[in-house]
């Protein structure tokens, strides 16, 4: 084993400005008109198209693709945004390889699926570049007020639909900016050029929406007060808790939550100001693990190793994301679990892993064999959880919580309280931006129905 350096090699400015710009530019360039039409013409415009069924927001995909082929870009974008107001962000971050494009019938012919995600982006970007980009008309004011807690995809989807229906909405957002996951939790190269705020501005332009930043449920606002002061409440809070490794040494300097670093990176005005280690280890198997691994590599880290306790088929990160990580020079090691964090002068310097395998009953177990990696920084990306304490009063739940610790809702996203709805990550379901958007839309329709009764 090589000697352990006495100090970690963590510093900012590992690359020149040109390299940062290249590494954090758009992951996939937008299609131009010629390429968009060629791609649109590959669509069979299926009746009962399986791609529509695979989209959580039910966008009429054959319809918008047909409109692209006939140069009706505004009509295509109208189809998309009417079903999914965050269709621009979803076109960039959705795992289309497991949703609409995986369902494309061209896959059954040993052909490549229609690039639905890139066509969706083409249509929405085309609309956003127009002077007459506002396609929605706000209905006459109803005099009803709705409180939305959380300005992420679920909250802003709900907000926009309610505003178009004539209700006044106040969004209570804990952070300095609204946008939630799109603003703080997505890799920078997937949503460059401040697209999350551009999309937010478009949502706000419908009118009837007020955002109050620095407002956190359980801190400076309470559910009982919102229920008293507003006609309805929608809870779209994210996952505030981060899972721990449960190992000695976890409090050493250099052992960090991946989501915190990703958030800092997304808010950085200059990537050259971000300190990054030379040797990075990421623990986890989801998209957050992939995002932090690729981004630290693109910030100039020399060795980035992602370690997952099971095999590649069991990673929650899609195969596309796994391939992307390896294309960016990230080493992925499977079948190993962290066993011990070893520090030096208060900073993590090594991490020991134990190889794993499945026993005869399919249960994961350690083999007893181990290996050690030298590290400057360890990023934990082993999941987040919902913190229900803002919805409790002296240990008593104010509304029903599921056995998995999330807010219980019905098919209309209504909670156990009459005038409270919830959606997104604080409820059970797919952990996807597009799923959160659908929750918000469905809840808004149900809220409108209740307020109109």
């Amino acid at each position: 084993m090589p000697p352990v350096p006495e100090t970690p090699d963590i510093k900012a400015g590992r690359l020149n400005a040109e390299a940062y710009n290249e590494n954090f530019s758009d992951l996939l360039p937008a299609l131009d008109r010629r390429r968009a039409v060629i791609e649109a013409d590959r669509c069979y415009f299926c009746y009962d198209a399986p791609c529509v069924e695979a989209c959580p927001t039910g966008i009429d995909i054959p319809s918008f693709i047909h409109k692209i082929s006939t140069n009706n870009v505004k009509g295509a974008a109208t189809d998309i945004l009417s079903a999914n107001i965050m269709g621009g962000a979803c076109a960039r971050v959705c795992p289309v390889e497991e949703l609409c494009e995986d369902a494309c019938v061209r896959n059954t012919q040993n052909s490549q699926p229609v690039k639905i995600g890139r066509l969706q982006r083409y249509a929405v970007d085309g609309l956003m570049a127009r002077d007459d980009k506002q396609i929605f008309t706000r209905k006459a004011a109803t005099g009803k007020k709705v409180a939305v807690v959380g300005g992420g995809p679920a909250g802003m989807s709900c907000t926009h639909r309610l505003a178009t229906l004539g209700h006044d909405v106040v969004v209570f957002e804990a952070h300095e900016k609204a946008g939630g996951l799109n603003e703080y939790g997505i890799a920078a190269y997937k949503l460059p050029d401040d697209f999350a705020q551009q999309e937010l501005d478009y949502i706000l332009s419908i009118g009837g929406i007020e955002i109050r930043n620095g407002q956190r449920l359980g801190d400076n606002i309470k559910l009982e007060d919102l229920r008293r002061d507003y006609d309805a409440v929608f809870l779209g809070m994210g996952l505030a808790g981060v899972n721990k490794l449960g190992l000695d040494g976890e409090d050493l300097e250099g052992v960090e939550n991946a989501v915190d670093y990703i958030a800092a990176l997304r808010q950085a005005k200059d990537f050259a100001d971000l300190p990054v280690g030379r040797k990075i280890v990421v623990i986890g198997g989801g998209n957050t693990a992939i995002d932090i691994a690729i981004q630290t590599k693109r910030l100039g880290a020399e060795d980035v190793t992602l370690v997952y306790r099971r095999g590649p088929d069991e990673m929650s990160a899609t195969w596309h994301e796994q391939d992307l990580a390896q294309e960016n020079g990230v080493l992925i090691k499977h079948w190993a679990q962290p066993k011990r964090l070893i520090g030096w002068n208060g900073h993590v310097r090594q991490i020991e892993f134990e190889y794993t395998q499945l026993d005869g009953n399919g249960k994961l177990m350690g083999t007893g064999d181990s290996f050690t990696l030298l590290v400057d920084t360890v990023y934990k990306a082993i999941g987040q959880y919902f913190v229900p304490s803002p919805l409790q009063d002296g240990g008593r739940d104010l509304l029903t919580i599921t056995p998995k610790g999330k807010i219980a809702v019905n098919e209309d996203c209504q909670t156990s309280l009459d005038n409270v709805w919830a959606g997104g990550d604080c409820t059970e379901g797919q952990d996807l931006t597009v799923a959160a958007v659908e929750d918000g839309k469905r809840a808004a329709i149900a809220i409108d129905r209740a307020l109109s009764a």
Side-chain angles (χ1 to χ4, degrees):
M1 179 181 297
V4 180
E6 293 189 2
T7 56
D9 188 352
I10 300 174
K11 66 179 183 179
R14 289 189 180 276
L15 307 175
N16 59 40
E18 183 179 350
Y20 285 121
N21 290 334
E22 181 178 349
N23 290 349
F24 290 93
S25 61
D26 221 334
L27 183 62
L28 282 176
L31 296 176
D32 58 24
R33 171 68 189 156
R34 184 183 68 83
R35 293 168 65 199
V37 170
I38 291 173
E39 194 60 32
D41 286 343
R42 295 183 64 238
C43 181
Y44 290 143
F45 309 112
C46 306
Y47 182 76
D48 285 339
C51 56
V52 178
E53 291 296 318
C55 174
T57 56
I59 294 173
D60 189 341
I61 294 168
S63 175
F64 92 69
I65 291 180
H66 177 70
K67 287 171 181 168
I68 288 175
S69 68
T70 57
N71 202 26
N72 181 5
V73 175
K74 186 175 182 180
T78 301
D79 282 348
I80 295 164
L81 298 183
S82 297
N84 179 351
I85 190 59
M86 292 188 166
C90 288
R92 291 163 165 81
V93 306
C94 260
V96 292
E97 64 276 10
E98 292 189 347
L99 297 173
C100 54
E101 293 184 13
D102 183 56
C104 180
V105 297
R106 277 193 172 272
N107 287 313
T108 63
Q109 302 169 334
N110 295 321
S111 177
Q112 291 292 314
V114 176
K115 294 182 174 60
I116 298 169
R118 298 187 72 182
L119 288 172
Q120 180 169 314
R121 173 179 170 176
Y122 172 80
V124 176
D125 286 2
L127 176 71
M128 294 300 174
R130 298 171 64 109
D131 292 333
D132 59 342
K133 68 181 73 172
Q134 184 54 266
I135 58 174
F136 297 97
T137 302
R138 179 168 151 80
K139 289 186 177 179
T142 64
K144 302 291 186 181
K145 295 191 306 178
V146 181
V148 170
V149 181
M156 295 315 300
S157 171
C158 183
T159 294
H160 182 264
R161 184 58 64 104
L162 288 169
T164 61
L165 293 169
H167 306 301
D168 290 328
V169 185
V170 177
V171 179
F172 296 88
E173 168 57 46
H175 293 91
E176 292 184 4
K177 297 179 182 176
L181 184 70
N182 289 355
E183 176 59 38
Y184 291 96
I186 300 289
Y189 52 80
K190 293 179 180 175
L191 283 173
D193 304 323
D194 208 19
F195 184 81
Q197 289 304 301
Q198 294 178 42
E199 195 165 59
L200 182 69
D201 290 342
Y202 185 77
I203 289 172
L204 297 179
S205 67
I206 191 66
I209 304 169
E210 177 190 355
I211 295 183
R212 298 180 186 175
N213 296 101
Q215 302 293 302
R216 188 184 300 276
L217 193 67
D219 187 355
N220 42 17
I221 52 173
K222 294 182 178 179
L223 180 59
E224 59 191 60
D225 295 338
L226 297 179
R227 293 187 69 203
R228 181 195 61 215
D229 297 338
Y230 292 84
D231 296 293
V233 178
F234 177 78
L235 303 175
M237 304 104 76
L239 305 178
V242 179
N243 289 329
K244 295 184 176 181
L245 298 172
L247 300 176
D248 291 339
E250 197 164 346
D251 56 348
L252 287 166
E253 290 183 20
V255 182
E256 301 185 20
N257 295 323
V259 292
D260 294 338
Y261 192 82
I262 291 173
L265 193 152
R266 283 297 307 276
Q267 299 306 307
K269 298 187 182 304
D270 187 345
F271 293 127
D273 294 335
L274 284 170
V276 65
R278 183 181 294 275
K279 297 181 181 298
I280 304 290
V281 167
V282 177
I283 301 171
N287 286 342
T288 298
I290 297 290
D291 280 358
I292 189 70
I294 292 176
Q295 290 191 114
T296 50
K297 188 69 178 175
R298 290 188 175 200
L299 283 171
E302 185 174 300
D303 297 321
V304 179
T305 304
L306 188 156
V307 185
Y308 180 56
R309 59 181 180 160
R310 295 177 183 269
D313 293 340
E314 293 164 284
M315 292 178 70
S316 59
T318 69
W319 57 263
H320 170 74
E321 292 288 327
Q322 294 180 49
D323 287 349
L324 185 64
Q326 294 185 71
E327 289 167 6
N328 278 269
V330 175
L331 174 64
I332 301 180
K333 293 179 72 70
H334 298 103
W335 300 110
Q337 60 189 4
K339 187 176 180 182
R340 187 164 58 116
L341 295 156
I342 305 166
W344 180 270
N345 290 334
H347 197 288
V348 65
R349 299 302 293 126
Q350 299 179 77
I351 179 168
E352 182 180 357
F353 289 91
E354 180 183 23
Y355 288 107
T356 58
Q357 62 183 14
L358 300 179
D359 66 13
N361 296 318
K363 183 179 179 182
L364 193 74
M365 58 177 290
T367 66
D369 292 332
S370 63
F371 63 92
T372 302
L373 298 175
L374 291 175
V375 293
D376 299 309
T377 311
V378 174
Y379 289 106
K380 299 178 288 184
I382 55 173
Q384 297 172 256
Y385 60 90
F386 177 62
V387 179
S389 57
L391 302 173
Q392 295 172 331
D393 181 15
R396 178 179 63 90
D397 290 336
L398 298 177
L399 44 70
T400 302
I401 302 296
T402 71
K404 293 183 178 179
K406 294 194 174 183
I407 300 172
V409 294
N410 63 15
E411 64 275 11
D412 285 333
C413 295
Q414 185 163 17
T415 72
S416 55
L417 299 177
D418 288 341
N419 62 341
V420 180
W421 284 257
D425 287 345
C426 62
T427 61
E428 294 185 13
Q430 288 181 297
D431 182 19
L432 296 172
T433 297
V434 66
V437 172
E438 176 63 11
D439 283 354
K441 181 181 72 178
R442 197 164 65 248
I445 293 170
I447 292 171
D448 177 65
R449 188 165 57 242
L451 296 182
S452 303

